[in-house]
Structure formats: structure tokens, C-alpha cells
Amino acid sequence: MTTQDPEAPEGVDLERPNAARIYDWFLGGDANWAIDRQFGEQAVRTFPMIKMVARVGRDFLGRGVRYLGRNGIDQFLDLGSGVPTVGNVHEVAAEVNPNARCVYVDNEPVAVAHSQILLEREGVADRHAVLQGDLRDPADIWKRALDTGVLDPNRPIGLIMVGVLYFLGADEPVAQTIQKYLSLLPSGSYFLSSHLTSDGLEGMADSESRESIMAQYNKSSTPLHLRSRAEFTTFFEGLELVEPGIVYLPEWHPEEMESKATKKLANDPAFVGHICGLGRKP
């Protein structure tokens, strides 16, 4: 597709590649444009394992949602949900509870448009909703999410920020933003999140390739910002961390791993460069 393609949803920036669409390409989706595919192909040449890393991140999301479903959570607020692809929150949650509900939020018009189409095509738009918005505005997002009628604010909610916080800059009040959301959640709610980190990658043979990928993303419309395990841990302040705590993606409930990608990295969990955690609000 070209930048003049009439099928591009209104407001879509096709001058620069976008992380949500790139991630969709990594996972084998079709909600991406030539500029995103060109970025992805270059990223694969630079770091051949990047598609596997993307799949490991998606697998973690699925394991987290299933865990929440088994522990009584049947409504979800997925912030930075991205372009819908295999293993969406509402699909995974329905495996545990067919009556589960979800509100998706993303600031990328393509992600929002495709999510809406998916929900309508599946005939579940009455039970789930999608919003275009900026997760850095908790008051607005919370109000609009409740206005959909999908979420009951008096019952526990699964708040999800998986694969998105590293798009918020070092100068942004990320911890305060998360705490605002947590203050709005009822008791018994959970916070599921993951983040890129350089911890544990020191001395790896592919460190130069990883730095090249970072530089490539930083020229896109969605630059990346790595954070340490210690900083990521502060995002869970006031919550009861679910075992095994803050760990690398393949270390989080590995007994439930399904994909070959995740299993392949089980013996070298730091390789993925992502840490994660799940916390419960008392």
C-alpha cells in the first residue's frame, strides 16, 4: 500500500512506521502497510530472533489473561492493546469464561479500526468495546471506558499494560500514571504488565544488533525506552505480587507455555529482554 491508499483509516500516519502495525507484521498479521513491513524486514535482518521475541510477548499476555480468568476476573481494561491478532484478550478470556468482557484502548487509528471490525465480525461488539485514546490520561480513559457500559466499576477488573509502557519516555510520570489507574480500580483487581529492559543482557553476543534495533525504533513514530527491573518493580507499589514476582517473560508460569518460541527460550529467559509481573490490589 502507498501513503495515498484510500483504505487507510482517517488519521493514520503512513510517513513513518508505527509500533502497533510493526508488531502485527512480526506476528504474521495483515493490518500493516508497506512502510511497516519495510521496517520489520530490516529489523529481522538486524536481529533475526525478533519475531520469536514478539511471539513470546504475546504468549505471556495469554498466560496472564488465563490466570486472571481462573482467579475470578471476568472483565478487562487493555491499555495499548494494539492491532488485533491471534490471541486477543477477549478471545483468551472467553476460553475460561464465555461471559468475560473487555474494553480495548489504543491511540493508533489502525489498531482501533481493526479492533472494531473484529468485534463486529465476531458478533461480540455488544459485550466488548474499543476506544481511541491516550493511556497517559487516566481520568479520561476511565470515564470513557465506564461509559461503554462494558465494565462494572464495583467488581474486580484486570488492568493490562503489556508491551506498551516502553513507548512512554523517561521524562514521563509513568509510575504516577499507573498509580492513578490503580486508585480507580476496586479491591481484588489485578495489574498485568511487561516491559523492555537491558538488565541481564550485558555481554550478550548480539548486543550490537539490539542497539541497532533500538536506533531503528527511535527513528520511527514510536521510539523505545528501556527501564530497569528496579524501576519496573515500582509500578507495582501497593499491590500484592503474584508468584513468581518480577521475572523475565519465559519465567512467568512456564508450566503453561504453549508455543515453541516460548519453550525454546525457557533456558535463556533474559534473551527476550522483557520482564513482567502481575499484582493484586488488596
Side-chain angles (χ1 to χ4, degrees), residues 99-137:
N99 296 315
R101 296 169 173 265
C102 181
V103 174
Y104 293 105
V105 179
D106 204 280
N107 64 353
E108 161 59 47
V110 169
V112 174
H114 278 266
S115 296
Q116 189 61 51
I117 291 171
L118 174 69
L119 296 179
E120 293 174 355
R121 186 172 63 220
E122 293 182 357
V124 296
D126 59 330
R127 199 168 70 249
H128 310 291
V130 56
L131 304 173
Q132 183 172 352
D134 191 330
L135 66 80
R136 291 171 292 189
D137 190 349

Side-chain angles (χ1 to χ4, degrees), residues 193-255:
S193 187
S194 65
H195 206 294
L196 272 171
T197 184
S198 59
D199 290 9
L201 298 179
E202 300 83 358
M204 280 198 173
D206 63 357
S207 58
E208 188 173 325
S209 297
R210 292 175 186 271
E211 291 176 4
S212 296
I213 289 292
M214 286 289 295
Q216 188 176 337
Y217 265 97
N218 290 341
K219 293 178 182 178
S220 74
S221 62
T222 42
L224 301 176
H225 304 276
L226 278 62
R227 291 182 170 88
S228 67
R229 181 190 296 255
E231 187 174 3
F232 180 66
T233 300
T234 65
F235 298 164
F236 294 82
E237 185 174 343
L239 302 180
E240 300 168 345
L241 276 174
V242 172
E243 291 294 333
I246 306 300
V247 294
Y248 295 106
L249 295 185
E251 295 177 316
W252 200 86
H253 290 262
E255 70 279 2

Side-chain angles (χ1 to χ4, degrees), residues 105 131-147 180-181 184:
V105 179
L131 304 173
Q132 183 172 352
D134 191 330
L135 66 80
R136 291 171 292 189
D137 190 349
D140 175 68
I141 295 299
W142 183 252
K143 179 182 182 302
R144 292 170 58 207
L146 294 186
D147 285 347
K180 179 60 178 177
Y181 279 108
L184 297 169

Side-chain angles (χ1 to χ4, degrees), residues 86 161 261:
V86 176
M161 296 188 193

